[in-house]
Amino acid sequence: MKGLVRGAICADAGRFRQWHKASSPVVCAGPPQAFDDADMYLVQARLRGAADAMLPPDVAARITRHAEAGTGLEHVTVHPEDKGEAVLGLFLVAASAEAAESAAWEICVRTLAGTPELDAFCLKSCRVSVPVVCLEWLLRDDDRLG
């Protein structure tokens, strides 16, 4: 890891980012200047395969290899689920949630197309995920909730 950077890991603009900067650091593999005009986003990519389909054990490394320079990919996590499904967590530095989702989609499509071991899988969705701590913090100060 090259740097310890303070920033947000959610798509919410202002309030969470301010709270997060004041409370805890985000560790990323990129240089600190990567956050100057962008934020870190967690995009969850859902894969669907046959019920008996298994992901290769090095799928995170394969995804990283298929990411082109400039996509903002920092880290990948893999969460196999039941019946041939899996959730990939792609941490990307991007200017917006839409840009992060688009970059994640392109990386996943490129990986699926270039990896014969993943022929049994298709990409179901790519969406920015908002961590529960972010939602709890945003709702805590919402007067509409009583």
Side-chain angles (χ1 to χ4, degrees):
M1 287 182 266
K2 295 180 182 175
L4 190 60
V5 180
R6 295 182 183 274
I9 303 183
C10 79
D12 181 78
R15 292 190 327 165
F16 179 73
R17 187 170 25 253
Q18 291 168 355
W19 169 80
H20 199 320
K21 283 181 179 178
S23 66
S24 63
V26 173
V27 179
C28 76
Q33 60 270 24
F35 281 87
D36 286 348
D37 295 318
D39 287 315
M40 176 77 73
Y41 293 90
L42 168 57
V43 178
Q44 290 187 332
R46 295 194 161 281
L47 299 181
R48 177 181 288 160
D52 60 346
M54 299 288 291
L55 290 172
D58 64 341
V59 71
R62 291 172 188 241
I63 292 166
T64 302
R65 282 195 300 269
H66 280 90
E68 293 179 351
T71 59
L73 183 66
E74 295 286 329
H75 179 69
V76 178
T77 60
V78 180
H79 307 279
E81 294 185 344
D82 293 336
K83 300 178 183 170
E85 294 196 6
V87 177
L88 307 173
L90 288 84
F91 292 81
L92 294 115
V93 175
S96 68
E98 294 81 10
E101 289 173 345
S102 178
W105 183 271
E106 290 175 18
I107 292 166
C108 289
V109 167
R110 194 175 306 113
T111 301
L112 290 171
T115 308
E117 295 85 355
L118 294 174
D119 283 347
F121 290 91
C122 65
L123 183 58
K124 195 168 138 182
S125 66
C126 275
R127 293 195 175 98
V128 167
S129 175
V130 179
V132 174
V133 67
C134 178
L135 294 174
E136 289 172 345
W137 188 81
L138 289 171
L139 294 175
R140 182 183 67 204
D141 295 329
D142 193 335
D143 295 334
R144 296 172 294 171
L145 299 176

